[in-house]
Amino acid sequence: MAHIEGVVVFARFDKADSFSWTDPTTGQVKPIRSLKVLLPHGDGTVTRESLTLPPDMDIPRLTRGEIYGFRCAVSINKKQQRLNWSLIPGSTPLPSLELE
């Protein structure tokens, strides 16, 4: 039996997104693919976050408005003072847990 370790972000799926980013140092165009999710916080606010997909990962089939658990790696962008979320390669979104 496998165990999940690390960060799992439970958030409401909004949409899959992609855009082409041009690296300013090389001029090379790189596709950036992500999942947009609505993440609730303890103070009642909700932020729209972007979970970047690894280059070799297919966009999962998810239902808009449903809550999923996403295994993520987290890094800090010190210039922008924000967290960057990246899906763990090979991970599959988990259905939300129901608590009573």
Side-chain angles (χ1 to χ4, degrees), residues 7-79:
V7 176
V8 178
V9 175
F10 282 93
R12 190 172 304 278
F13 175 69
D14 186 33
K15 69 178 187 171
D17 192 27
S18 64
F19 69 94
S20 297
W21 175 74
T22 304
D23 186 332
T25 57
T26 65
Q28 186 176 13
V29 176
K30 297 179 181 180
I32 305 294
R33 298 173 313 125
S34 63
L35 302 178
K36 304 299 184 191
V37 298
L38 302 173
L39 181 63
H41 301 279
D43 64 358
T45 62
V46 176
T47 57
R48 188 166 192 224
E49 302 293 336
S50 180
L51 311 178
T52 304
L53 278 82
D56 60 342
M57 185 176 186
D58 291 332
I59 295 174
R61 292 180 185 224
L62 303 172
T63 302
R64 186 175 191 192
E66 292 293 321
I67 299 170
Y68 296 93
F70 302 94
R71 290 184 56 215
C72 292
V74 183
S75 60
I76 298 174
N77 181 323
K78 291 182 182 180
K79 281 186 178 181

